[in-house]
Amino acid sequence: MLLHHYPLDPFSRKLRIGLAEKGIACELVDVLPWEREDAFLEVSPAAETPVLDDRGVLVPDSMAALEYLEETQTARPLLGRSPVERAETRRLIGWFDVKFVREVTDLLWREKLLKRVKRTTVPNSEAVRAGLVNIHAHLDYISYLFERRNWLAGDALTWADCAAAAQLSVIDYLGDVPWDKHPGAKEWYARIKSRPSFRPLLRDRVVGLKPADHYDDLDF
């Protein structure tokens, strides 16, 4: 398989974690989607990452791709084994892919990292301040779930953990996750951060923008 991705794109990272957890070998094809190069537009008319390429079968959109993987690669399911488990996993994926993105990622990662990489405008300071406030409620919710479950959606690691960790990882690159104020969320993140599936993400770098000192430290 091929995965067309931007290394610091959280949706691409979600698939990278899940692919590794499922034991699926995948070649990464780095792209800068906003440059809209012809070769990339051929696989992604929307010019968005990620795009999964399974021997010519193109699956854009991270949610469509993970559903495709669950249906075609059944040896290690990550959605849950019962209808209730799968419903809860999908609910939490939606939480982090939509609500967290709207309230945190778009206000921090998009403003502070993407604008710098794309060399467009300066970050919107009001948006950044709002993101720094909003992240606390999400970390509280992660702590709440982790106190009651082995992983976010239940006893086993699922795509919900992949989605949450992927979003937080790009915010953590910026040093904007207040881990010390949310020990439960920190414990959960340290747990997934230390998994072999997650470690390759910690080697990603943005030219001219160093990650926070603790970013790739498995012991925080």
Side-chain angles (χ1 to χ4, degrees):
M1 290 190 186
L2 300 177
L3 183 67
H4 301 265
H5 81 129
Y6 174 59
L8 267 291
D9 166 30
F11 295 99
S12 298
R13 289 182 152 211
K14 175 177 68 176
L15 285 188
R16 289 169 64 189
I17 299 168
L19 283 161
E21 287 288 339
K22 292 173 81 68
I24 302 170
C26 185
E27 180 181 343
L28 300 177
V29 181
D30 291 6
V31 296
L32 300 176
W34 53 86
E35 293 191 351
R36 303 180 65 86
E37 295 183 354
D38 291 343
F40 181 57
L41 290 175
E42 289 181 5
V43 299
S44 176
E48 295 179 351
T49 53
V51 180
L52 186 69
D53 182 348
D54 183 10
R55 294 162 293 184
V57 177
L58 298 175
V59 189
D61 182 82
S62 67
M63 193 65 196
L66 77 82
E67 293 280 4
Y68 175 84
L69 290 169
E70 287 299 303
E71 293 186 18
T72 60
Q73 307 287 331
T74 59
R76 171 69 171 90
L78 292 177
L79 269 179
R81 296 188 177 275
S82 71
V84 172
E85 291 172 350
R86 290 191 289 273
E88 177 65 355
T89 299
R90 288 186 175 99
R91 180 187 75 83
L92 289 173
I93 293 170
W95 179 291
F96 292 104
D97 281 4
V98 179
K99 183 176 175 64
F100 187 93
V101 168
R102 181 177 63 244
E103 297 179 358
V104 180
T105 307
D106 278 350
L107 304 182
L108 296 176
W109 172 81
R110 191 171 298 278
E111 289 292 329
K112 297 177 68 175
L113 190 148
L114 268 198
K115 282 186 175 180
R116 179 166 182 164
V117 172
K118 294 165 68 174
R119 298 179 181 178
T120 52
T121 57
V122 298
N124 181 318
S125 59
E126 290 185 6
V128 171
R129 283 195 295 271
L132 294 172
V133 171
N134 294 344
I135 196 171
H136 287 281
H138 291 276
L139 293 171
D140 282 341
Y141 190 48
I142 289 172
S143 298
Y144 171 86
L145 293 171
F146 190 53
E147 286 172 3
R148 290 157 176 79
R149 301 169 175 178
N150 194 40
W151 289 95
L152 295 187
D155 289 337
L157 181 144
T158 67
W159 284 107
D161 298 280
C162 301
Q167 295 293 336
L168 281 166
S169 69
V170 297
I171 308 301
D172 197 41
Y173 188 99
L174 299 168
D176 285 339
V177 184
W179 296 117
D180 290 343
K181 295 184 179 180
H182 303 275
K186 182 178 181 180
E187 182 182 352
W188 164 81
Y189 188 70
R191 188 176 179 187
I192 194 169
K193 183 180 181 181
S194 65
R195 293 177 72 87
S197 62
F198 196 87
R199 293 175 193 171
L201 277 64
L202 301 176
R203 296 194 290 268
D204 294 336
R205 293 292 184 271
V206 174
V207 176
L209 182 60
K210 291 179 59 178
D213 290 341
H214 67 270
Y215 172 72
D216 54 5
D217 181 358
L218 299 183
D219 296 322
F220 268 96

